[in-house]
Amino acid sequence: MRSRKLTCASINFIVVLLSQSVHSQLQVGFYGNSCSLAEFIVKDEVRNSFFRDQGVAAGLVRLHFHDCFVRGCDASVLIDSTPSNNAEKDSPANNPSLRGFEVIDNAKARLEAICKGVVSCADIVAFAARDSVELTGGLGYDVPAGRRDGKISLASDTLTNLPPPSFNVDQLTKFFSNKGFTQEEMVTLSGAHTIGRSHCTSFSNRLYNFNGTTSQDPSLDAMYASQLKQQCPQGNTNPNLVVPMDPSSPAITDAGYYTNILANRGLFTSDQTLMTNAATANQVSQNARNTMLWRSKFAAAMVKMGQLDVLTGNGGEIRSNCRVINS
């Protein structure tokens, strides 16, 4: 028992250290003097939205991921398209699946009313993701802030900067490595799929058109595949048809994602592929056995992700409207 307590204490200490050893220009409590209610207001908006629709939490975590992996954590994913520019949010990787924009809008409007031109949209997205993890039962963590907002958003940038659900473990490992993450951190961040939903189009090939010799992915549990076929009928053309990523607890940040993979019930190819490599399979098993360990690793990985290619100091701008670059 004492050993287990020491382990948990060590894990929490590691999370604190990782939270502190960040980009020198990002700071925990960055708005302490300039807009002291910033994090409280964002959390209040996330909480209000969550009580209306629990699925928004997964949307906000995904929004942060899709922001940071394309041009860094600069809120470029929030910018609306114009007649002359197709923005990130309207790329096939983001539209119609990305959600939570209205939560960011509401938080920004409240912040502009009391701290005009102070809090960046990029920081709001980072705060909202943390609050979503916490609201769904994950481990809360300090978010270093001071990001500034980017001025460029191109749908074409998503093509090479967001991993598709068809990636295998080698492709995922290389992709995350290019972003500065270890293979273990890739497995850890994949656990975000423990909450939220997926459109049928993201995995229907595993049910009906897997390869030239078999229509159904043989690595997919047969009973689960049967359930998915009922929810996503072959030939269905409804682009809004969705299923939960983790049917047993779709709004709880727990280790259910890893338990599902061990039972051959990973929804995406990119989920189930984690069992095809000895090292990643071992991490899946470890995370499934020890939820607290995974939650701690996930918190640390989210802090690290939030530092990807950030704009600070005089870089970028502080948008007054998160959807539009300042004129």
Side-chain angles (χ1 to χ4, degrees):
M1 186 67 180
R2 176 175 170 78
S3 173
R4 186 173 177 181
K5 285 181 178 177
L6 284 172
T7 300
C8 287
S10 300
I11 291 167
N12 290 331
F13 180 62
I14 290 169
V15 173
V16 170
L17 283 180
L18 281 165
S19 298
Q20 292 174 344
S21 61
V22 298
H23 191 291
S24 59
Q25 289 178 285
L26 294 185
Q27 301 172 11
V28 171
F30 181 83
Y31 297 108
N33 294 322
S34 59
C35 191
S36 60
L37 292 177
E39 294 190 49
F40 172 81
I41 287 173
V42 174
K43 181 167 287 188
D44 188 54
E45 281 300 329
V46 173
R47 188 186 293 116
N48 291 341
S49 296
F50 180 74
F51 289 149
R52 289 193 298 269
D53 173 13
Q54 291 189 342
V56 76
L60 290 167
V61 172
R62 188 164 179 258
L63 192 66
H64 187 36
F65 175 85
H66 282 224
D67 181 35
C68 291
F69 270 57
V70 182
R71 290 188 173 270
C73 309
D74 68 345
S76 55
V77 73
L78 305 179
I79 296 173
D80 283 345
S81 293
T82 66
S84 61
N85 180 63
N86 194 27
E88 290 173 32
K89 61 164 56 170
D90 288 319
S91 72
N94 290 331
N95 188 0
S97 59
L98 216 55
R99 55 183 172 154
F101 296 107
E102 71 288 344
V103 182
I104 307 301
D105 290 338
N106 293 342
K108 180 62 173 175
R110 288 176 62 182
L111 289 168
E112 284 296 295
I114 62 168
C115 310
K116 188 174 179 62
V118 173
V119 183
S120 71
C121 300
D123 279 341
I124 295 173
V125 172
F127 293 148
R130 180 269 313 276
D131 299 335
S132 297
V133 170
E134 199 168 3
L135 274 171
T136 52
L139 194 65
Y141 52 92
D142 289 333
V143 175
R147 299 166 189 80
R148 289 174 65 86
D149 301 323
K151 300 179 182 182
I152 300 171
S153 182
L154 303 171
S156 57
D157 282 342
T158 65
L159 300 175
T160 55
N161 286 292
L162 293 174
S166 58
F167 263 14
N168 63 37
V169 69
D170 292 333
Q171 291 170 312
L172 286 169
T173 300
K174 183 178 180 181
F175 178 89
F176 275 80
S177 176
N178 289 340
K179 297 290 183 181
F181 293 96
T182 66
Q183 187 181 65
E184 182 174 5
E185 288 170 332
M186 176 270 288
V187 176
T188 298
L189 286 170
S190 295
H193 285 171
T194 190
I195 56 175
R197 64 191 188 184
S198 167
H199 286 72
C200 293
T201 50
S202 294
F203 60 85
S204 59
N205 67 301
R206 300 187 70 200
L207 303 176
Y208 304 114
N209 188 31
F210 185 60
N211 59 32
T213 57
T214 178
S215 59
Q216 185 173 304
D217 186 344
S219 72
L220 189 61
D221 175 74
M223 189 176 295
Y224 184 43
S226 178
Q227 293 172 6
L228 291 173
K229 286 179 177 179
Q230 290 179 2
Q231 294 169 294
C232 302
Q234 187 172 17
N236 177 74
T237 57
N238 182 359
N240 298 315
L241 210 56
V242 295
V243 302
M245 294 293 299
D246 177 5
S248 62
S249 55
I252 302 175
T253 296
D254 58 15
Y257 168 78
Y258 299 103
T259 305
N260 290 339
I261 292 175
L262 290 174
N264 293 323
R265 290 180 168 227
L267 188 59
F268 294 162
T269 296
S270 58
D271 297 322
Q272 198 59 47
T273 190
L274 299 181
M275 292 303 294
T276 65
N277 172 284
T280 57
N282 180 60
Q283 287 153 23
V284 167
S285 180
Q286 182 185 62
N287 292 338
R289 289 194 311 268
N290 192 335
T291 300
M292 187 59 200
L293 173 65
W294 170 71
R295 282 178 173 146
S296 299
K297 291 194 298 183
F298 185 71
M302 288 291 284
V303 171
K304 180 175 177 177
M305 186 182 79
Q307 301 167 57
L308 278 177
D309 300 325
V310 294
L311 297 169
T312 58
N314 294 320
E317 63 183 12
I318 304 296
R319 270 179 239 144
S320 56
N321 176 346
C322 292
R323 294 173 178 265
V324 183
I325 298 165
N326 292 345
S327 56

